Amino acid sequence: MKESTLAKITASVAAARGVAKKALAASPNPDWTESEIRAIDEWIALQDVELDRPEAIRRLVELGLSAKR
């Protein structure tokens, strides 16, 4: 059984809306400057445990969010 033209159009519009939402959403991966990467790497080097950058960034965000204002 063939899909109707209306069903095909509806499906393509739904797909396009999904792509548009993704394109307009804020990126969870910011573009880091060289100095920011360097600062993160320096912070990692001062830690007692071995961390990769994503884990270090998570910990730094956690520290920032829990800091008293």
Side-chain angles (χ1 to χ4, degrees):
M1 185 185 287
K2 287 190 174 182
E3 221 180 340
S4 72
T5 303
L6 181 57
K8 288 179 183 177
I9 292 170
T10 304
S12 65
V13 168
R17 283 188 180 143
V19 170
K21 281 183 183 179
K22 269 188 172 177
L24 297 175
S27 174
N29 300 315
D31 294 325
W32 299 99
T33 65
E34 286 183 39
S35 63
E36 290 168 333
I37 292 290
R38 194 175 325 111
I40 293 167
D41 288 344
E42 289 170 1
W43 185 85
I44 291 170
L46 295 173
Q47 304 312 300
D48 294 333
V49 294
E50 189 172 323
L51 301 171
D52 58 3
R53 276 192 195 133
E55 180 61 26
I57 292 167
R58 280 190 284 279
R59 290 185 185 198
L60 287 166
V61 168
E62 186 178 305
L63 286 169
L65 292 173
S66 67
K68 293 184 180 178
R69 295 176 188 228

